[in-house]
């Protein structure tokens, strides 16, 4: 593996670990944290990863950047490798800090079970409170809009810090909206890693496909919306 590729994987690994600790970590370990504080944690962790680490820390973002020719195909694969490893490592750290107990919250899902663990805020409980169709629709719309913010910030040639602030803000708003619906997916790597370590009813791992497929579809939808509202053309994308 080339040095540049190693740096790419390492940056995405570190950035995604930060997102795991700043997002799901607050849900699992911060029992008294409210929905607004959790959303800010998700947004700040994303902003730090982009603005300081130089990682997007989200497979959806990497795919959108590839669609917009912001990165090459090889970089996309290295991004995904670092993001998956970082998410798994972050979830494993949370598992250890949680006394090696599997999580009853912090994952994503729909159609919750009849019981909610004592002390868990209903607003951020693992399974969400909407049916499958609403979860798919909400995740798709919010993910699409967040991708539009990402591509717009980059197209305007904003500094790394400015782009990070805009994207982090979009993730914060999106998380506030999605927490009571689905537990706020927005990131396939985060969703998969948390589902692996989750102990929920319904089973989070069986439901995680939605939180992998929908954001990746939203990456393409976000590209189309971005093309419609910006001066970019098809020639600027892989759709040429």
């Amino acid at each position: 593996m080339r040095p540049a590729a190693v740096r790419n994987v390492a940056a995405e690994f570190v950035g995604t670990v930060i997102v795991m600790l700043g997002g799901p970590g607050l849900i699992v370990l911060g029992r008294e944290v409210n929905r607004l504080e959790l959303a800010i944690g998700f947004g700040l962790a994303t902003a730090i990863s982009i603005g300081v680490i130089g990682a997007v820390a989200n497979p959806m973002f990497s795919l959108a950047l590839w669609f917009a020719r912001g990165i090459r195909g090889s970089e996309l694969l290295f991004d995904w490798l670092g993001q998956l490893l970082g998410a798994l490592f972050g979830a494993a750290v949370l598992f250890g800090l949680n006394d090696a107990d599997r999580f009853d919250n912090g994952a994503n899902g729909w159609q919750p079970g009849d019981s909610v663990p004592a002390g868990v805020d209903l607003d951020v409980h693992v399974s969400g409170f909407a049916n499958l169709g609403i979860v798919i629709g909400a995740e798709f719309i919010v993910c699409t809009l967040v991708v539009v913010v990402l591509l717009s910030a980059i197209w305007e040639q904003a500094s790394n810090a400015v782009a990070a602030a805009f994207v982090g803000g979009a993730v914060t708003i999106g998380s506030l909206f999605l927490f009571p619906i689905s537990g706020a997916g927005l990131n396939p790597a985060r969703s998969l890693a948390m589902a692996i370590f989750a102990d929920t009813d319904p089973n989070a791992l069986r439901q995680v496909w939605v939180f992998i497929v929908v954001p990746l579809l939203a990456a393409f939808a976000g590209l189309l919306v971005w093309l419609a509202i910006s001066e970019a053309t098809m020639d600027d994308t892989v759709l040429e």
Side-chain angles (χ1 to χ4, degrees):
M1 189 180 292
R2 300 185 305 275
V6 173
R7 288 194 296 271
N8 191 15
V9 172
E12 292 297 335
F13 177 90
V14 174
T16 307
V17 170
I18 292 173
V19 169
M20 293 297 293
L21 297 181
L26 291 180
I27 299 176
V28 172
L29 303 175
R31 297 285 182 169
E32 303 302 321
V33 179
N34 61 40
R35 191 198 306 181
L36 176 60
E37 292 167 337
L38 290 172
I40 292 174
F42 269 99
L44 284 177
T46 301
I48 291 170
S49 296
I50 295 174
V52 178
I53 306 300
V56 292
N58 189 329
M60 176 179 71
F61 290 162
S62 296
L63 183 59
L65 290 174
W66 178 75
F67 282 143
R69 288 186 172 175
I71 60 176
R72 298 186 299 273
S74 59
E75 293 175 298
L76 172 64
L77 296 179
F78 289 133
D79 274 10
W80 282 357
L81 176 60
Q83 290 155 3
L84 178 59
L85 293 176
L88 291 173
F89 179 80
V93 169
L94 295 179
F95 174 72
L97 294 176
N98 197 45
D99 296 327
D101 289 331
R102 298 178 69 191
F103 316 133
D104 57 13
N105 59 356
N108 306 113
W110 66 89
Q111 297 173 345
D114 295 331
S115 62
V116 177
V120 176
D121 186 348
L122 290 178
D123 285 345
V124 296
H125 183 235
V126 52
S127 298
F129 302 96
N131 62 41
L132 177 58
I134 292 175
V135 168
I136 290 175
E139 287 280 341
F140 183 77
I141 291 171
V142 173
C143 286
T144 298
L145 294 177
V146 174
V147 167
V148 171
V149 172
L150 172 77
L151 295 178
S152 298
I154 292 174
W155 181 260
E156 293 298 329
Q157 297 182 333
S159 69
N160 217 32
V162 172
F166 283 132
V167 177
V171 170
T172 299
I173 295 172
S175 297
L176 278 171
F177 182 78
L178 290 174
F179 269 134
I181 297 175
S182 63
L186 294 171
N187 187 324
R190 159 271 203 270
S191 297
L192 176 60
M194 292 300 292
I196 290 173
F197 286 89
D199 181 16
T200 61
D201 181 19
N203 185 277
L205 198 55
R206 292 178 184 173
Q207 299 186 348
V208 75
W209 64 269
V210 168
F211 306 97
I212 296 174
V213 174
V214 171
L216 297 182
L217 293 176
F220 182 74
L223 176 79
L224 298 181
V225 174
W226 171 66
L227 287 172
I229 66 174
S230 72
E231 296 180 358
T233 66
M234 287 290 187
D235 292 339
D236 299 311
T237 74
V238 298
L239 304 179
E240 180 189 8

